[in-house]
Amino acid sequence: QVQLVESGGGVVQAGGSLTLSCTVSESFDTIRAMNWYRQAPGRRREWVANIAQAGNTNVENSLKGRFTVSRDNDKNVMYLRMDKLKPEDTANYLCNAVRRGDDGVFNDYWGLGTQVTVSS
């Protein structure tokens, strides 16, 4: 089973930067796509960005220009670089992986998340 562990969260002043990491238990060759989501108290879970198996990336429209998703294929790590952070970026950031099982079914796997708090 795929295991995902997020890290890199913390407290940062508005306007600052932070880079999150998601370490994956197996090669990206077996993962169809990976996503970053975030969820703040009292708000619905929001999709942030993703990177497909082939390496192409997408970022939510409102976050383009500030957030960048990438990966290290040798280390099996996905990154989320966040620049010019705003208080409204405060949330628990979660890593998601989509993987095709041996039975042909695509399954979702989730990490526990890492907390990002942006102070004004």
Side-chain angles (χ1 to χ4, degrees), residues 86-102:
K86 305 174 181 179
E88 50 263 44
D89 294 321
T90 296
N92 185 37
Y93 284 73
L94 302 107
C95 180
N96 161 266
V98 181
R99 184 188 187 277
R100 182 185 183 275
D102 293 336

Side-chain angles (χ1 to χ4, degrees), residues 1-2 26-27 30-33 97-102 104-109:
Q1 187 172 351
V2 177
E26 62 185 69
S27 172
T30 65
I31 307 298
R32 185 184 189 188
V98 181
R99 184 188 187 277
R100 182 185 183 275
D102 293 336
V105 176
F106 288 97
N107 299 308
D108 278 283
Y109 300 89

Side-chain angles (χ1 to χ4, degrees), residues 17-74:
S17 299
L18 207 60
T19 298
L20 308 181
S21 300
C22 174
T23 301
V24 187
S25 63
E26 62 185 69
S27 172
F28 287 122
D29 292 340
T30 65
I31 307 298
R32 185 184 189 188
M34 296 191 64
N35 298 270
W36 283 105
Y37 287 84
R38 67 184 184 182
Q39 187 169 25
R43 299 181 181 180
R44 303 187 67 84
R45 182 174 294 178
E46 176 188 17
W47 176 78
V48 173
N50 68 8
I51 183 165
Q53 189 174 45
N56 51 302
T57 63
N58 294 280
V59 178
E60 201 280 325
N61 287 334
S62 66
L63 302 177
K64 290 180 178 178
R66 295 196 300 119
F67 285 24
T68 304
V69 63
S70 62
R71 73 187 186 195
D72 187 322
N73 295 328
D74 294 327

